[in-house]
Amino acid sequence: MDITSPGDLWDRVTGSQPDPASWLVLATAAVALAAVLWRPVWQVARNAVTIAHEGGHGLVALLTGRRLDGIRLHSDTSGLTVSRGKPTGAGMILTAAAGYTAPSLLGLGGAWLLAAGHITALLWGATGLLAVMLVMIRNAYGVLTVLVTGALFFCVSWLTGPDVQAVFAYGVVWFLLLGGVRPVFELQAKRRRYGRRGLPFGSGGTAAGGAPDSDADQLARLTHAPAAVWLFLFHTVTLCSLTGGGRWLLGL
C-alpha cells in the first residue's frame, strides 16, 4: 500500500474500490460454500465462526451494561464468554441471543460495505475488532487463533493490491453468511440427539462441541419460551441475512 501521509491513509480506508468481476464474486461464493459443506475444511474454518459467535456475546454484554470477564476459544471450535451482571432481564437475554446471530449479522454488515465499494474499510474494521477482542481472550489457544486471524486481515489490507483484497473480502463475507447458517442446524440436530437419548440439558452456555448445554436452552430458561422458538429465531436471522447479503454481493 503506497501511503505517504495520514491523509492518504484516511482516504484509502474511507474511499471506495472498484467492484470485482461477477465471475469472481460467484467463485468466492462457491469456495465459501465448499468450506462450509466439506467437513474436514469446516472443522478448521469453523474457528472463524466461533470468533464471531463469542465476539457477539461479548459485544452485546458490554452494550447492555454487563461486565465482561473474558472469552475462551477452544481447539474443538467451542467457546465460552463469561460476563457478570443481573442473571435475568433484557441484558442477559440479549447477550445469550447474540451468539448464533452474530456471524450472519456481521456478514450482512460486510455485504453492505462491499456493495458500497468499501473493501479496505471492511478489512481494517475487522482487524480493529479482532484487536479489541484479543484483550479479552483468556486462554492460549484463543490468543493464537485471534492473533493469526487478525494478522491475516492486516497483511491482506496492507500488503496486497485491490484484486487480492477484493477476493479475500468477498470470500470472508460469503463465509460468514453461509457459515452462520450451519451451526444453527448443528445445534438443532444435537438437541434432537440428546432428546432421543433422554439426557437432560444443562444450565446453558456457548459451547459448540459435544456438551448438551446451548444458548437456546439458556434463553428458554430466561424467558420461559420453548427452545424451539429461539431456534426458529436463529434460523430466521441467519437465513434472512444470507438472502439479503447475497443479493447485495451479487448486485441484485
Side-chain angles (χ1 to χ4, degrees):
M1 183 182 295
D2 185 15
I3 300 296
T4 59
S5 69
D8 292 338
L9 178 60
W10 177 255
D11 291 340
R12 176 63 176 167
V13 173
T14 60
S16 61
Q17 292 77 42
D19 295 332
S22 297
W23 70 267
L24 202 57
V25 176
L26 292 173
T28 56
V31 172
L33 180 61
V36 171
L37 295 179
W38 192 18
R39 186 173 181 81
V41 177
W42 172 247
Q43 289 176 335
V44 177
R46 199 187 196 282
N47 283 286
V49 176
T50 303
I51 290 174
H53 180 118
E54 301 304 333
H57 281 309
L59 176 61
V60 174
L62 292 174
L63 291 177
T64 55
R66 299 181 62 81
R67 176 182 174 183
L68 182 59
D69 282 351
I71 298 172
R72 292 179 175 268
L73 305 173
H74 304 132
S75 58
D76 63 353
T77 72
S78 67
L80 178 66
T81 299
V82 179
S83 63
R84 293 184 184 181
K86 188 178 178 182
T88 58
M92 188 62 198
I93 293 171
L94 291 173
T95 299
Y100 279 98
T101 58
S104 295
L105 292 176
L106 284 172
L108 184 64
W112 177 77
L113 283 173
L114 293 182
H118 296 301
I119 296 173
T120 303
L122 182 147
L123 296 175
W124 279 61
T127 304
L129 289 174
L130 288 166
V132 172
M133 185 176 179
L134 182 63
V135 177
M136 299 307 302
I137 300 296
R138 294 294 182 264
N139 66 321
Y141 182 82
V143 170
L144 177 63
T145 302
V146 174
L147 270 178
V148 170
T149 306
L152 180 60
F153 273 90
F154 176 78
C155 289
V156 170
S157 64
W158 188 261
L159 301 176
T160 66
D163 292 339
V164 175
Q165 290 185 16
V167 170
F168 182 77
Y170 273 81
V172 166
V173 171
W174 275 120
F175 179 76
L176 286 174
L177 291 171
L178 293 164
V181 174
R182 178 165 176 169
V184 185
F185 282 99
E186 291 177 340
L187 172 60
Q188 186 174 355
K190 183 174 67 176
R191 294 191 74 260
R192 188 181 299 115
R193 287 195 302 270
Y194 277 92
R196 287 173 179 172
R197 296 174 187 173
L199 298 175
F201 289 93
S203 60
T206 60
D213 301 334
S214 75
D215 294 351
D217 291 279
Q218 184 179 13
L219 286 162
R221 288 185 288 273
L222 287 168
T223 64
H224 304 293
V229 172
W230 293 101
L231 281 170
F232 177 77
L233 174 65
F234 295 160
H235 280 304
T236 300
V237 172
T238 58
L239 292 173
C240 287
S241 295
L242 175 58
T243 302
R247 289 178 63 87
W248 275 335
L249 293 175
L250 295 171
L252 300 178

